[in-house]
Amino acid sequence: MDIAGFKQVKATTNKIALSTAVNNEADVKIVNIVWREEQPDTLYFSSVKDSPALTVYDQNPDVAFITVPNDGTAGNPYMRAQHVQLKRSALTMQDLLPLYLDTVPNYQKVWDMIGPKLVVFELKLKDVFVDPGLGQGKGTLHF
């Protein structure tokens, strides 16, 4: 699998279901994601600075995810990965805000309400299973 399939699926989504676990207790959250082509092995998401989720992220940075297709996307394209390393990013929301505004519909409302409270996280990708949709070639992309 090459990066073209990854880009194709990424164009159909701006959300993932992020799976975490601490003390044998699983949890899943839907989070908005953005991606920068100049750093193809990294997805970014944000969380509120005082959220209990931050403790979970710090305690067990080994996570899994699957993309959630945008409404009306035909063919059910998706990407999924396990054993993805989550870490706090050196980038800020100010750095990524233009990308969020371009990628996530109505993100300006989110920014206006809680922008200063958001902290950025990175998901470092290694192996990502990519299924561009029904009848199209699927496989694993290795970073």
Side-chain angles (χ1 to χ4, degrees):
M1 171 68 57
D2 63 16
I3 194 77
F6 179 93
K7 287 177 167 181
Q8 182 180 340
V9 174
K10 178 56 192 94
T12 69
T13 186
N14 56 33
K15 292 181 183 71
I16 60 171
L18 180 66
S19 175
T20 60
V22 173
N23 299 325
N24 292 322
E25 188 172 320
D27 190 29
V28 177
K29 294 174 179 46
I30 300 291
V31 296
N32 293 314
I33 56 164
V34 295
W35 178 73
R36 300 180 335 149
E37 195 161 348
E38 63 270 19
Q39 196 169 10
D41 68 341
T42 306
L43 295 174
Y44 299 90
F45 73 96
S46 63
S47 188
V48 177
K49 290 177 186 176
D50 59 0
S51 168
L54 272 62
T55 302
V56 173
Y57 300 155
D58 289 339
Q59 287 179 359
N60 190 359
D62 182 41
V63 300
F65 74 84
I66 187 167
T67 56
V68 178
N70 294 336
D71 289 344
T73 301
N76 197 33
Y78 70 92
M79 296 184 285
R80 70 172 183 232
Q82 297 175 309
H83 303 295
V84 177
Q85 294 306 300
L86 181 153
K87 69 176 197 170
R88 292 177 189 246
S89 181
L91 296 177
T92 67
M93 280 304 295
Q94 291 288 10
D95 297 326
L96 295 175
L97 183 59
L99 197 51
Y100 271 94
L101 293 173
D102 286 344
T103 307
V104 181
N106 302 309
Y107 198 80
Q108 185 66 54
K109 291 179 186 177
V110 174
W111 180 253
D112 291 344
M113 290 176 58
I114 61 171
K117 296 180 182 181
L118 296 174
V119 60
V120 178
F121 287 88
E122 298 180 5
L123 297 170
K124 297 306 275 184
L125 307 175
K126 293 179 187 167
D127 297 317
V128 180
F129 180 79
V130 180
D131 184 342
L134 298 173
Q136 299 186 48
K138 54 186 167 185
T140 301
L141 176 62
H142 306 284
F143 287 99

